[in-house]
Amino acid sequence: MATKFFASESVEITVPSQAIPVEYYLRQPQRLVNALVEQKRVEQISREVFRLKMRPLNFMSVKIQPTVDMKVWAQSNGTINLESIACKILGLDYINQRFNLNLKGYLLPIQRSDITYLKGNAGLEVRLELPPPFSFTPQLIMEKTGNGLLKSVLMTIKQRLLNQLLNDYQSWVKSQTQGKRIDSDSTEFSSLKLE
């Protein structure tokens, strides 16, 4: 019998004013991915698709290590979306064939009284069919354990986002503006290179 686990997490970040609005930074999906996950765990497959090798997870004494292909893209309104498009469990064929991971999230810049905020949400769902003797574990215990594990994964990602994103944004602005005179009231940034 398949068991479903789910967790979600929201975030709101106040963005310090910079010479280049954060929307320009968010147009580069690889920068957001590198803020979410350690660079050594990421392989870029295409402009918008990244393979993320997650840290090993322990679930009911079974150690699993998912590898997730994630599509990350920006919309014209500045929203950046992420969605899992494939997943594989390394080393455990039985579980790999009975495992499905679905991650969806977004990060949206919002302007309130001359202050920019990044508001986001991520939902993580896993469907898993465990072999006996795990299948005999009471459903409530199984769901509580699985939901707690997914919540801890999202909290780790959230903490990394909170710690890394603004630092990387500020470093990026500095690299883009070194040796250039930027008018902070200007909305024209066409001369800036977008990596």
Side-chain angles (χ1 to χ4, degrees):
M1 183 177 78
T3 305
K4 184 170 90 170
F5 310 110
F6 180 79
S8 66
E9 192 64 44
S10 297
V11 67
E12 187 170 302
I13 305 169
T14 304
V15 181
S17 181
Q18 296 286 327
I20 306 172
V22 72
E23 291 85 350
Y24 287 83
Y25 169 84
L26 292 175
R27 290 181 186 169
Q28 304 164 83
Q30 78 279 5
R31 296 205 80 101
L32 178 65
V33 170
N34 289 334
L36 293 173
V37 183
E38 296 169 278
Q39 212 165 356
K40 65 182 181 181
R41 297 185 177 278
V42 177
E43 175 189 353
Q44 190 162 354
I45 306 298
S46 69
R47 175 167 157 60
E48 296 182 338
V49 178
F50 302 83
R51 182 161 292 149
L52 313 178
K53 186 177 181 184
M54 296 177 68
R55 293 182 183 277
L57 304 169
N58 288 309
F59 176 72
M60 306 290 287
S61 76
V62 175
K63 191 174 185 179
I64 58 173
Q65 185 171 19
T67 298
V68 181
D69 288 356
M70 188 77 59
K71 182 177 179 184
V72 183
W73 72 101
Q75 293 178 265
S76 58
N77 68 353
T79 301
I80 191 154
N81 298 285
L82 55 107
E83 183 176 354
S84 58
I85 56 174
C87 180
K88 184 175 183 181
I89 301 295
L90 302 177
L92 295 171
D93 286 339
Y94 179 90
I95 291 179
N96 184 50
Q97 295 168 10
R98 293 161 179 82
F99 182 91
N100 183 20
L101 181 146
N102 186 14
L103 174 65
K104 288 186 179 181
Y106 70 87
L107 199 57
L108 168 68
I110 297 173
Q111 198 76 26
R112 279 189 232 134
S113 305
D114 295 334
I115 299 174
T116 302
Y117 298 89
L118 292 177
K119 188 171 180 152
N121 184 275
L124 177 58
E125 179 184 277
V126 168
R127 290 178 187 267
L128 175 64
E129 188 177 323
L130 287 168
F134 302 107
S135 57
F136 300 119
T137 303
Q139 190 74 13
L140 190 60
I141 293 172
M142 186 86 69
E143 287 176 4
K144 188 173 182 177
T145 304
N147 291 346
L149 179 62
L150 296 188
K151 187 76 167 173
S152 74
V153 168
L154 289 180
M155 282 299 293
T156 300
I157 292 171
K158 177 180 178 176
Q159 288 306 312
R160 186 164 169 86
L161 180 70
L162 291 170
N163 293 330
Q164 299 291 336
L165 185 73
L166 293 181
N167 288 338
D168 189 55
Y169 168 52
Q170 290 169 346
S171 296
W172 175 79
V173 169
K174 188 176 179 182
S175 73
Q176 297 297 310
T177 58
Q178 279 180 337
K180 297 178 177 134
R181 186 174 176 276
I182 304 289
D183 178 0
S184 61
D185 294 328
S186 173
T187 57
E188 185 58 54
F189 298 101
S190 60
S191 64
L192 298 176
K193 61 177 198 255
L194 292 179
E195 297 171 350

